[in-house]
Structure formats: C-alpha cells, structure tokens
Amino acid sequence: MATLIHTLADHSDDVNYCAFSSSCLATCSLDKTIRVYSLSNFAELPYSPLEGHAYAVHCCCFSPSGLVLASCSTDGTSVLWDTRNGHRLAVLEQPGASPVRVCRFSPEAAYLLAGAADGSVVLWNVQSMKLYRSGKVKGGSLMACAFSPNGNFFVTGSSSGDLTIWDDKMRCLYNEKAHDLGVTCCDISSHPVSDSENGCKYFQMASCGQDNHIKLWLILFADFLGVQLKYKCTLNGHSAPVLACAFSCDGQMIVSGSVDKCVIIYETSTGNTLHTLSQHTRYVTTCAFAPHSPLLATGSMDKTVHIWQLDLKQPCAGDTTENESKVAIEDWSEDDVSAWLCAQDLADFVGLFKMNNIDGKELLNLTKESLANELKIESLGLRSKVLQKIEELRMTMISVAVPDEFLCPITRELMIDPVIATDGYSYEREAMENWISNRRSSPMTNLPLHSLMLTPNRTLKMAISRWLETQQK
C-alpha cells in the first residue's frame, strides 16, 4: 500500500523538484525559492525558504552527507547552501550564463555537476568552488544527469533524445539515441544486478522522456572494458510524457511522474505496476524515494508536494488507488461511491454524499450547480476538485481512449476550445490564457514565447466534435 500522509502546499508556483537527505526534504519551485522540511514532523526549518535566485529554481540536491544543498536556476547559477543554518556558501555561474536545468553531487561529494539549456555540462570542484571540467552535448538542452555509484562516470540526457556517458575527465565515452522526443530525467540504481548471459555485474539505469516511455538499461562500468550499455525493457504505463523517474534506495522499485497527472511505482525486476497514485491535479514534475525510510515524495505543477508512506511488508502487485470494481459506475451503491471518494483523497465528503443518497447514477449527474446549491459545498476550489474527479470518471466510461492530440497539454483534459500558441502546440483556451497570465514560456518546451497571440484551431475543434459523435452512437 501507498498511503498519503502529508501534503506540503507552501510554494506559490509550480514545484519543479524534490530531494531527500537522511533527515530532510528539499523542494524548489518556479516561485524562485527552495524550501527545506524536517522528516520527523514535516515542519519547515527555521531558515526556510532559501531565497537568492533571481528566477525559477529548476533542481535541488543534497550532498551525500546532507550538510550541503545545491540548487540551480534559470538565472544561470548553481548555489550551495549550508543545511545547518541556511547560509549561502557559494554562487557558481554557468559559463555563458545559460539557464541551469539540473545539478547533482558526485557520490563522494568531490564534484557538483551542472547542466544547462545551451547543452553545457560543468563539473565544479566543491572544495575549491572552482570550475574543474566542462563539456557540451550536441543539438539540445541538458535535461537530466546521474552519477555512477563509484563516481567515475556520469550520464546526461538531452532534449534531443540522447543519453551520453562521460568519464570524470569530461570525455564522451558512449552516446545512445534513447527517446525520440527528448530525455526528461534519468537515474542510476546504486545496487548492481547480475546478467546471467555473461556473469557480469551491471548497474541499472532508468530514463524517461517526451515519448511517454520509461526505459530500463544495464550499464557495465569497468576500467578494463570501458562502458557497456544494454537496453533492458520499456515501461509503458503512462499515457503522456514522463517528466521524472527515480529508483528506491535498494533498487527494488522505480517511481515515475507524468503529464498525465499520475505517479506509477513499478517493481524493477519484473516491470509490474505496484501502485498508481492520482492525487495530483496537474503535471507531476518530480518524485523521489527517501534513502532510509519508506517515504516517497511527489511534486507537481499544482504547487503541492505529497508525502507517501509505503507499506513494504504487504504484497502490492497490481495495487492502485483507483476504484477497479467490475460493477458499472452507474450501478455503484452508496458504499461504492464512498470507497471512490476515499481513493480520490475526498474522504471528507463521504458523510455528505451518504446523507444525500449519492449512488453511482447520481454521482455521474452531479454538476457545479448541484454541488453548490444542493450539497452546499461552499468552496469553489473543492467543487472544482470534485467535478474534475467526476469528469475523469466519466472519461473512463468511453470505450476508446481519448486520442492524445485531443487532450490539452496543460490540463490533460479533452479540449473544448482549442487554440494554437506561437510554440506550434494546441491548448485549451482558458488553460493557456491562465498560463500566459503568469509566465511567457511554452508549457511544452519551456522556451520563451515570441508572442502571446492565440489562434483558434478550428480544424482540431471539428475533429474533436466528430470523434465525440462517434462515441455517443
């Protein structure tokens, strides 16, 4: 089982990343801040939030000892912070001042790796706070990185779709086209696995991308053989681009977060789905396992970080937070509706729904008016959340999956009034108008929008209408 035990809602904008140390959880956001929490009670530490970046903070990570926290930002810097008092130790300026997308400490904490939007890769000497080595990937932004367990090699992933393996002298050792539409994240398990074919010990790597896939790889790091990379399998659980992936500390599980708003936990050895978590209301941008406790953190564009308690003693293959009853939704009893509410993190409404005799048929007929006037749910935010979950439930009744091109990339909901933005992508008008009211970047590429003009996509609107007509026959 995976149980939601706490929600952090202190950020005022999208959560971009979260990271654990043995005693703390750090989160960073488009709101330019990093927040640090104690794992003992999830209280924010006295010096939090950490402020100093001029623009959005894209990534954060702890040193192996947990005494230093690194963060990186659109402002072209990586900053080192003392986790004991929140003092800023150093500001490391990326060559060329390009936005820094990702940072990672080497296992022995000798180096900090920083990757940027212009493809530059920098190794900083943590002791001297000076640049040690630098390199560059071809034809794309640096989006992901991970160190080998011994720290002698590291892997980078780019928006062009390449996975590149480098040694600690910044020499490119291997390159693989992994995800056609771009790599978004990668992670290397610290636990080796045996390959029965040749008797070698490999480390497992996971990568994910805009192609909706998570790919598992086997990497052999050996001084006398160099580097060998073997494709293992693809995990296809998500219906939209996968933005984050991470191994558990023992390598037995891998977690992923996606534009489809879902978090999926897989069993590494079999690829089987253990849990599907769907409590976030926007893109899931980050996920991380705690190193020494059965905790999972997931962050989202809904501005929240959820903390999950994992029950590792119970068999959980195939477990999910969604109601998977074979009974048709319209035939649900009041108890079935109550169970569904609990699964959607709406347990506070169980008593209200029971008092009003809401069964499956009544549930599907609820509207914003009936929620406000009949059920007397006063909070607009809560009404919107209930309606969204009901709409998702209605969509599961459609016999054919909604074509991905009919879903708004921001809300992952069927578009009613699609418009084309200057990045070439189509969005639901209201969602895109809300987006550009707060920022001038593309939701899909994160690059600046040259214009805020939105053009009606009448062709797509007609295609959606025709598709809906076929579903209603």
Side-chain angles (χ1 to χ4, degrees):
M1 293 292 292
T3 305
L4 181 62
I5 61 172
H6 198 84
T7 296
L8 305 172
D10 298 307
H11 285 294
S12 60
D13 211 329
D14 303 355
V15 175
N16 286 332
Y17 207 83
C18 59
F20 282 101
S21 70
S22 59
S23 59
C24 294
L25 170 67
T27 64
C28 61
S29 167
L30 282 182
D31 66 11
K32 309 177 190 177
T33 70
I34 307 101
R35 292 181 179 271
V36 187
Y37 302 87
S38 168
L39 292 187
S40 62
N41 56 6
F42 304 114
E44 194 164 7
L45 298 187
Y47 59 73
S48 180
L50 299 173
E51 298 175 314
H53 284 293
Y55 298 108
V57 186
H58 293 289
C59 186
C60 59
C61 61
F62 286 97
S63 65
S65 67
L67 297 179
V68 180
L69 175 66
S71 60
C72 61
S73 166
T74 300
D75 63 15
T77 69
S78 300
V79 176
L80 301 182
W81 311 85
D82 189 328
T83 59
R84 293 167 294 188
N85 51 32
H87 291 171
R88 186 162 49 185
L89 300 173
V91 178
L92 310 173
E93 297 183 2
Q94 194 80 2
S98 180
V100 186
R101 299 295 186 192
V102 64
C103 58
R104 198 75 76 241
F105 282 100
S106 62
E108 75 290 351
Y111 303 111
L112 177 73
L113 175 65
D118 63 357
S120 62
V121 190
V122 172
L123 278 176
W124 297 96
N125 184 305
V126 175
Q127 185 173 3
S128 67
M129 306 294 185
K130 296 185 181 299
L131 191 149
Y132 170 64
R133 303 276 183 179
S134 65
K136 196 164 188 177
V137 299
K138 295 180 180 179
S141 297
L142 211 294
M143 305 300 292
C145 65
F147 272 97
S148 66
N150 62 8
N152 293 338
F153 303 91
F154 61 90
V155 179
T156 61
S158 75
S159 60
S160 64
D162 289 350
L163 288 173
T164 306
I165 302 178
W166 313 73
D167 68 9
D168 57 2
K169 303 296 189 296
M170 202 64 79
R171 292 176 296 203
C172 178
L173 304 177
Y174 189 91
N175 193 77
E176 174 90 14
K177 189 74 171 182
H179 297 271
D180 290 339
L181 303 178
V183 177
T184 53
C185 188
C186 64
D187 192 28
I188 297 176
S189 170
S190 59
H191 286 256
V193 295
S194 297
D195 184 355
S196 57
E197 292 182 9
N198 55 27
C200 290
K201 293 279 189 181
Y202 287 85
F203 288 95
Q204 294 194 94
M205 179 177 71
S207 63
C208 58
Q210 298 284 351
D211 56 6
N212 305 3
H213 295 155
I214 304 156
K215 293 186 178 181
L216 297 185
W217 311 81
L218 296 176
I219 309 178
L220 174 62
F221 297 105
D223 293 336
F224 61 93
L225 289 176
V227 176
Q228 296 181 8
L229 180 65
K230 294 177 62 177
Y231 167 77
K232 183 181 178 184
C233 66
T234 296
L235 306 177
N236 295 309
H238 288 290
S239 61
V242 185
L243 302 182
C245 62
F247 282 100
S248 59
C249 60
D250 61 4
Q252 298 301 306
M253 295 182 291
I254 183 169
V255 63
S256 59
S258 168
V259 169
D260 64 14
K261 310 176 195 174
C262 289
V263 174
I264 300 179
I265 304 174
Y266 301 91
E267 184 178 37
T268 306
S269 60
T270 64
N272 291 337
T273 298
L274 301 178
H275 307 284
T276 301
L277 312 173
S278 58
Q279 270 74 3
H280 285 294
T281 59
R282 289 290 181 265
Y283 297 5
V284 179
T285 53
T286 178
C287 46
F289 287 103
H292 305 301
S293 57
L295 296 177
L296 169 69
T298 60
S300 166
M301 287 174 59
D302 63 14
K303 308 176 188 177
T304 69
V305 175
H306 289 328
I307 312 295
W308 306 84
Q309 179 85 43
L310 303 175
D311 183 0
L312 304 182
K313 298 179 181 179
Q314 299 295 327
C316 48
D319 199 13
T320 175
T321 61
E322 300 295 325
N323 189 315
E324 295 182 348
S325 171
K326 296 182 180 180
V327 178
I329 297 170
E330 58 266 30
D331 295 329
W332 279 2
S333 66
E334 293 177 22
D335 288 338
D336 290 328
V337 172
S338 296
W340 175 80
L341 286 169
C342 292
Q344 306 306 314
D345 197 27
L346 296 170
D348 291 344
F349 293 106
V350 169
L352 179 63
F353 276 51
K354 274 188 170 294
M355 185 171 63
N356 286 273
N357 305 118
I358 304 296
D359 57 14
K361 187 175 181 179
E362 292 288 335
L363 179 69
L364 294 173
N365 288 328
L366 288 176
T367 64
K368 60 181 179 181
E369 289 79 15
S370 60
L371 288 175
N373 301 329
E374 297 173 21
L375 298 187
K376 306 297 183 184
I377 300 177
E378 296 180 358
S379 168
L380 176 60
L382 290 177
R383 290 201 302 269
S384 298
K385 183 176 181 179
V386 173
L387 279 175
Q388 180 188 344
K389 295 298 183 181
I390 293 173
E391 184 59 33
E392 292 173 2
L393 198 60
R394 291 186 184 118
M395 295 305 295
T396 66
M397 300 173 65
I398 297 177
S399 58
V400 180
V402 180
D404 196 65
E405 61 269 25
F406 293 170
L407 300 177
C408 171
I410 297 174
T411 65
R412 295 304 297 171
E413 295 166 2
L414 188 67
M415 287 184 277
I416 299 171
D417 185 13
V419 294
I420 304 172
T422 54
D423 62 358
Y425 292 94
S426 292
Y427 306 90
E428 176 61 32
R429 179 183 293 276
E430 182 180 1
M432 191 58 183
E433 287 176 346
N434 289 336
W435 177 278
I436 60 180
S437 69
N438 296 313
R439 53 182 77 79
R440 296 180 63 95
S441 61
S442 163
M444 293 297 288
T445 67
N446 208 30
L447 296 175
L449 292 170
H450 302 299
S451 168
L452 301 184
M453 180 182 295
L454 301 177
T455 305
N457 191 337
R458 295 186 177 88
T459 302
L460 179 57
K461 187 173 183 177
M462 290 175 61
I464 293 172
S465 297
R466 287 195 296 268
W467 180 80
L468 285 173
E469 289 173 1
T470 64
Q471 298 306 306
Q472 293 168 359
K473 292 179 180 178

